[in-house]
Structure formats: structure tokens, C-alpha cells
Amino acid sequence: PHPDNCKLQHILDLGMLKVADEVEDITGGSSKELQIEAKLNSIEEVWTSMTFQFQNFKNRGPVILEGKQLGEIMEALEDSQMQLGSMASNRYSAPFRDRLQ
């Protein structure tokens, strides 16, 4: 049946009740994978859009980060590391293993 026209009787006719636990596991896992993917995209967006301001150091030119921005960068880095570590230990993160490392 087409998803826009799926009724309970269609599900019963397909014998889905026999595999209800498996369907629940699959849909639950898919939902968790979607959450992980969204978090990963959010973290990537933070770092893609982040700009770094440098200041001069002695006569070597702009080689160190500006102090006023350093705190924000460190906070974002710690937050991202914590989120990535949590996601890496999640069993549903397997499809994203390359992006997490």
C-alpha cells in the first residue's frame, strides 16, 4: 500500500503483527540514527561557520588567536568533544563511525 493510503487492515493483511518487535527495533534504531546525524550536522555547522581571529605576536605576524575569542573557541571545542564522545559510544552510531573519528 502507498504510505498516504496505508490503513490498519493493510498492516494486518501483511502479517506485521508477527514481526512487531523487530519492526519496533528497526524504527527505534532509525530514529536514534537520525538524532545522531542531526547532532553531527549541527557540530559540523558550528565549526564550518567559525572564524578565527589572529593577533600579531612580536615580529612574527598574526600567529596567535585573539584572547577575547579564545574562550568561546575553547567552550565550543569542549562541548563538541563531549557530544562526539557520547555519540561514539552509542551503538546506533555505527553508520557514522568515519565522521565521528
Side-chain angles (χ1 to χ4, degrees):
H2 191 272
D4 293 338
N5 193 23
C6 187
K7 299 188 174 157
L8 179 59
Q9 189 59 49
H10 292 126
I11 294 171
L12 295 173
D13 292 344
L14 291 171
M16 297 293 282
L17 289 178
K18 296 176 192 170
V19 292
D21 290 339
E22 289 85 357
V23 171
E24 187 175 339
D25 287 344
I26 291 169
T27 57
S30 296
S31 176
K32 287 182 174 44
E33 287 176 13
L34 181 62
Q35 290 173 354
I36 290 170
E37 186 175 27
K39 284 181 186 178
L40 271 173
N41 291 339
S42 173
I43 291 170
E44 285 181 355
E45 176 62 31
V46 166
W47 290 102
T48 301
S49 64
M50 179 138 341
T51 57
F52 297 94
Q53 304 282 324
F54 292 90
Q55 64 186 29
N56 292 330
F57 179 72
K58 296 185 180 180
N59 62 352
R60 297 184 181 159
V63 294
I64 60 174
L65 289 169
E66 286 188 1
K68 63 183 178 184
Q69 188 189 27
L70 191 56
E72 294 173 15
I73 293 170
M74 292 302 295
E75 185 178 326
L77 180 61
E78 290 172 3
D79 186 47
S80 294
Q81 285 177 321
M82 198 166 50
Q83 288 180 26
L84 291 170
S86 175
M87 285 186 269
S89 65
N90 189 316
R91 74 179 212 181
Y92 298 104
S93 66
F96 312 103
R97 199 64 70 198
D98 290 342
R99 288 176 67 190
L100 286 169
Q101 296 177 346

